[in-house]
Amino acid sequence: MITAEDAKLIEAYRNEALFPAGHAVPATSEVAVLRRRQPAGTGDVAWMPDANTYCLVSIRERGSDRTCFGLAAKRKPQGYVHVGRLTPHGLSGAADRHQLWLNVTVVENTSGPFTYTGGTPKHATPIQESTVRFPSGRTMIFLTYEFPEATHIPRDAEICSNSRTVCFKAFQPNAVGQ
């Protein structure tokens, strides 16, 4: 069910000039809200244009960004993980140089919840988990987490499912999954 806040975010996403000429804007039913921000109408949404690609749109007061990521065509039968690249997002005005770095990780064919293990990043935000079933029938878990710029990230920072059947390096992006 889409809330009024989600409706504002999805409307902002549909109105943004983030889609090149000739690219269709995905239908509202194909878009998943991953993170809601203040003010209403800002946040992060995702969709899958095909079975091997997911796209992320980050909408902020001062600008928006659209990035698509390829997933491996052949994936593990259980616990496929794709750790996306870190994306900087300003906290407030242009004079404020503090940035939060957003990380979006996709996990397929397993269940959560997921938590930090190993060297848990001291200033990282909690993991937000969104399980999304797309109209194609594919179910993905999107994990989003952030940390402040210039913060030390422990090299052994991992995220694991409660059963520890799926674990991965929290801040080590991969181009096409593993």
Side-chain angles (χ1 to χ4, degrees):
M1 183 169 111
I2 295 177
T3 66
E5 188 176 336
D6 289 351
K8 286 181 183 180
L9 178 57
I10 290 172
E11 185 61 29
Y13 136 83
R14 295 187 67 71
N15 287 331
E16 288 294 325
L18 297 170
F19 297 89
H23 283 87
V25 177
T28 301
S29 63
E30 297 175 18
V31 177
V33 174
L34 302 183
R35 287 179 90 84
R36 296 159 190 88
R37 300 196 181 272
Q38 292 300 322
T42 61
D44 303 286
V45 298
W47 76 96
M48 294 188 72
D50 60 56
N52 296 320
T53 307
Y54 77 94
C55 297
L56 173 70
V57 170
S58 296
I59 300 169
R60 303 295 183 265
E61 284 185 284
R62 289 178 167 61
S64 300
D65 178 56
R66 178 185 140 216
T67 307
C68 293
F69 300 91
L71 303 174
K74 292 190 177 202
R75 302 196 266 279
K76 291 180 183 179
Q78 180 171 359
Y80 171 79
V81 176
H82 173 83
V83 181
R85 70 175 171 82
L86 301 170
T87 307
H89 294 291
L91 290 173
S92 58
D96 186 0
R97 296 184 317 180
H98 299 286
Q99 296 277 330
L100 279 181
W101 289 80
L102 173 69
N103 196 306
V104 178
T105 296
V106 178
V107 183
E108 184 178 24
N109 298 326
T110 194
S111 60
F114 290 85
T115 56
Y116 292 113
T117 62
T120 302
K122 184 176 177 182
H123 300 290
T125 62
I127 299 167
Q128 289 188 14
E129 188 173 323
S130 300
T131 302
V132 181
R133 182 172 175 85
F134 290 97
S136 67
R138 184 171 302 278
T139 300
M140 308 292 264
I141 298 173
F142 288 87
L143 306 175
T144 58
Y145 42 100
E146 298 173 309
F147 67 96
E149 180 178 50
T151 300
H152 172 72
I153 301 169
R155 295 286 176 210
D156 61 345
E158 284 190 322
I159 294 177
C160 292
S161 61
N162 274 356
S163 63
R164 296 193 58 83
T165 55
V166 175
C167 292
F168 57 92
K169 296 284 186 194
F171 299 100
Q172 185 175 356
N174 49 328
V176 291
Q178 58 183 17

